[in-house]
Each structure stands twice: as C-alpha cells, then as structure tokens.
C-alpha cells in the first residue's frame, strides 16, 4: 500500500512575516524528513504550526513525520486536522488516503474503508485508493468470517462445557442419592437386627422364667379333721 508523503511548495515574494516563518520551518522539516531524521522534522513542523496552527501543509507533513516514527494515533489526528484545513480536494484526498493505510495496517478495516471512501469522493480518479478500498473490503469480510467462526467455536465449546457440567452434576446427584439409599438400607438392617435381638432376649427371658417356675416344688394344702 503506497503512502502519499510530503507537500513541497514554492516560495512567493509577497508573504507576511508569519507566513514566511511557518514556511521556513516546513522547508527545514522537509529537508530533515528526506534525510530520514523524522523526530527532528517533527520538531520543525510543530514550530511551523506554532506560527500558523491552520497551515494544512504543516499539519499534513507532521502527520507523515509521526507516521514514520510509528506514532499512528497521533499521525491520524494530524491528517484529520489537515483534511479539515485543506481546501484543495486533491491534497485533502491524500490525508484520507493515508488515514486509510494506517487503519488498514492496524486491521481497523471499518475505519479504513470510511477513510478510503472519503478520499475517493475528493479524488475519484485515484486508482491506488480504489485498489486499497477493494482490498480492505475483502480483508474486512474475511476478518468478519473468522470472527463468526471463532464465535461459533466458542459457543460450541461453551455448550460442551455446560453439558459436561450438567453430566457431572447429575452424576454427583446420583452418587449422593445412592449413598443416602445405602445409609438408609444400613440403618434399616441395623434396626431389624436390633429388633430381632430384642425379641430373642425376650424369648430367652420368658423361657428362663418358665423353667424356673417348673423347678420350684409345689405345696399341698392338707386339711385337718377336728
């Protein structure tokens, strides 16, 4: 994806002191930019903006210097300001084009598509932007499909996990019921044994009483004649 870089302009004789100051800083920034001294170029462009905060060339070139330093968010801000300040449609389209490139590289496809579309409104003949837009739409569609696929996968995994949890809960419940039933059966068996033992003891006691009673001598009542 190609980026549109610096604005280069010619000097005019009838410039105010303020205009001369910001243009001088822009030229100084451009020289540093071409020497790949992007941080120093950034300083010069900011000096130009201090002299004229609405200079679209300074705003745009500052965006380029920030982008080369991988300060993507800050670069987008400056490109947006440049687009708002720029009255020339062709130059304004470049700001939106570069915003689109940054967003596309960051996989922010929705924002990239909007930026490319705005760039084409200002410059409908830009084939580079049109190609980037088509590519970005395809990437966005593929990304959405991947997201849907991942969401379905996560949903299936969540459903499987829930089924496993339900299965484990039912298993635990059955084991608890079996254990409770086993305890109840044990208690019933113990109660039956206790009742049986009590009955046996009662029977033994009764037999002992009868045996004892039978072993005692019987007394006869003798009647005397008077």
């Amino acid at each position: 994806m190609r980026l549109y870089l610096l604005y280069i302009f010619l000097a005019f004789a009838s410039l105010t002191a303020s205009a001369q100051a910001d243009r001088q800083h822009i030229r100084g920034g451009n020289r540093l930019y071409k020497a790949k001294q992007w941080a120093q170029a950034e300083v010069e462009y900011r000096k130009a903006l201090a002299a004229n905060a609405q200079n679209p060339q300074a705003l745009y070139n500052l965006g380029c210097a920030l982008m080369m330093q991988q300060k993507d968010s800050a670069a987008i801000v400056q490109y947006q300001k440049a687009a708002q300040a720029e009255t020339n449609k062709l130059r304004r389209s470049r700001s939106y084009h570069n915003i689109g490139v940054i967003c596309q590289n960051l996989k922010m496809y929705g924002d990239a598509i909007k930026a490319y579309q705005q760039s084409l409104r200002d410059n409908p003949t830009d084939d580079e932007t049109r190609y980037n837009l088509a590519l970005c739409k395809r990437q966005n569609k593929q990304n959405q499909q991947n997201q849907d696929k991942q969401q379905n996968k996560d949903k299936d995994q969540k459903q499987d996990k829930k089924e496993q949890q339900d299965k484990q809960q039912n298993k635990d419940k059955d084991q608890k019921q079996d254990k409770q039933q086993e305890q109840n059966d044990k208690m019933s068996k113990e109660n039956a044994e206790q009742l049986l033992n009590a009955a046996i003891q009662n029977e033994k006691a009764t037999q002992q009483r009868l045996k004892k009673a039978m072993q005692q001598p019987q007394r006869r009542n003798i009647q005397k004649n008077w």
Side-chain angles (χ1 to χ4, degrees), residues 39-174:
Q40 294 86 337
E42 175 188 347
V43 173
E44 289 299 313
Y45 296 139
R46 290 191 184 279
K47 288 180 180 179
L49 289 172
N52 180 5
Q54 295 301 314
N55 187 313
Q57 290 94 344
L59 290 167
Y60 178 89
N61 289 1
L62 175 58
C64 292
L66 291 168
M67 184 175 58
M68 298 306 293
Q69 297 176 76
Q70 297 182 343
K71 299 178 180 179
D72 294 329
S73 298
I76 288 175
V77 171
Q78 297 305 320
Y79 285 137
Q80 289 173 335
K81 290 181 178 180
Q84 293 172 358
E86 184 60 72
T87 57
N88 183 286
K89 287 186 176 182
L90 293 180
R91 291 199 292 262
R92 185 167 61 215
S93 70
R94 292 187 174 188
S95 292
Y96 288 118
H97 175 94
N98 285 1
I99 291 173
V101 171
I102 293 174
C103 291
Q104 189 170 359
N105 287 334
L106 295 175
K107 298 183 179 181
M108 300 166 55
Y109 299 119
D111 292 331
I113 290 171
K114 291 178 182 178
Y116 288 141
Q117 289 173 337
Q118 184 59 52
S119 178
L120 287 172
R121 291 189 187 98
D122 289 329
N123 184 12
T125 62
D126 190 337
D127 292 335
E128 181 75 19
T129 301
R130 183 172 289 102
Y131 171 82
N132 286 1
L133 175 60
L135 177 62
C136 194
K137 285 182 176 179
R138 185 162 63 250
Q139 290 173 323
N140 187 49
K141 183 178 180 180
Q142 183 177 359
N143 185 59
Q144 187 61 50
Q145 290 174 344
N146 291 336
Q147 287 180 352
D148 292 341
K149 184 177 180 180
Q150 184 62 43
Q151 287 177 352
N152 291 333
K153 182 179 179 180
D154 293 341
K155 184 178 179 181
D156 291 340
Q157 290 178 341
K158 186 176 180 180
Q159 182 63 30
D160 291 341
K161 185 177 180 180
K162 185 177 184 303
E163 290 177 356
Q164 290 177 356
Q165 289 176 341
D166 292 342
K167 185 177 180 180
Q168 185 62 43
Q169 288 176 353
N170 291 332
K171 182 179 179 180
D172 294 341
K173 183 178 179 181
D174 291 340

Side-chain angles (χ1 to χ4, degrees), residues 22-35:
D22 62 356
R23 287 178 180 269
Q24 287 175 356
H25 286 302
I26 291 174
R27 290 192 184 90
N30 290 351
R31 287 192 294 270
L32 292 167
Y33 185 97
K34 290 178 180 179

